[in-house]
């Protein structure tokens, strides 16, 4: 029987080979790659649309004022909130909605398969059950 390695190295090996650590690493890599896609959608598509409507690609200069030599830009908060909402909307409509549709379709397919399997199982009658039904029917016809 193999002995379990203990100590720092053994603990580290156990940690990195655990499923959740590997899943987390894959999620981080996929998230970083996906961030680039969403950022491109926002920067190259949605922000130019906003610039076409509002005149600027962001709201940084909206409500801007000066206090002494400092420039205060409350519009930067609006820009951050709008960017967050745009990213959230892009993720929802491009990822969540299609994935939910795919999940719903796979659930329906699984249910349909289970129903077909149950129907096929009902159609196949056990030979002993069929024989007993025949005997029952013969006895019922004799007593009439």
């Amino acid at each position: 029987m193999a002995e379990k390695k203990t100590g720092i190295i053994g603990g580290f090996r156990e940690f990195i080979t655990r499923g959740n650590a590997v899943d987390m690493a894959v999620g981080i890599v996929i998230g970083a790659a996906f961030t680039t896609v969403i950022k491109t959608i926002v920067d190259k598509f949605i922000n130019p649309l906003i610039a076409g409507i509002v005149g600027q690609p962001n709201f940084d200069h909206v409500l801007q004022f000066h206090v002494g030599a400092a420039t205060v830009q409350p519009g930067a908060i609006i820009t951050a909130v709008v960017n967050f909402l745009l990213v959230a909307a892009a993720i929802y409509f491009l990822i969540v909605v299609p994935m939910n549709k795919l999940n719903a379709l796979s659930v329906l397919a699984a249910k349909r398969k289970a129903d077909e399997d149950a129907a096929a199982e009902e159609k196949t009658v056990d030979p002993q059950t069929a024989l007993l039904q025949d005997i029952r029917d013969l006895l019922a016809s004799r007593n009439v």
Side-chain angles (χ1 to χ4, degrees):
M1 194 150 97
E3 289 183 32
K4 186 176 178 181
K5 291 187 177 183
T6 57
I8 294 174
I9 301 298
F12 179 71
R13 188 175 134 243
E14 183 180 332
F15 169 75
I16 62 171
T17 58
R18 214 181 288 159
N20 56 359
V22 173
D23 291 344
M24 183 177 65
V26 170
I28 290 170
V29 171
I30 294 295
F34 188 68
T35 299
T36 304
V37 172
I38 296 299
K39 185 169 175 21
T40 302
I41 290 170
V42 171
D43 290 345
K44 303 296 182 186
F45 181 72
I46 296 173
N47 281 348
L49 286 176
I50 292 172
I53 295 168
V54 179
Q56 295 178 358
N58 59 44
F59 304 103
D60 289 352
H61 300 293
V62 174
L63 304 173
Q64 176 177 311
F65 61 93
H66 298 281
V67 176
T71 302
V72 180
Q73 293 181 318
I77 297 169
I78 297 169
T79 298
V81 169
V82 168
N83 283 340
F84 168 77
L85 293 174
L86 292 174
V87 168
I91 290 171
Y92 181 76
F93 291 112
L94 296 176
I95 301 298
V96 174
V97 170
M99 290 302 288
N100 285 344
K101 296 254 188 219
L102 285 175
N103 287 340
L105 289 175
S106 66
V107 167
L108 286 174
K111 185 179 182 311
R112 188 176 302 125
K113 173 95 170 89
D115 290 346
E116 289 172 358
D117 290 347
E121 192 173 300
E122 287 178 7
K123 287 182 183 177
T124 58
V125 178
D126 181 35
Q128 289 179 341
T129 304
L131 180 62
L132 289 173
Q133 288 173 342
D134 289 342
I135 293 171
R136 179 198 63 204
D137 294 342
L138 283 173
L139 288 173
S141 66
R142 289 174 106 189
N143 290 335
V144 175

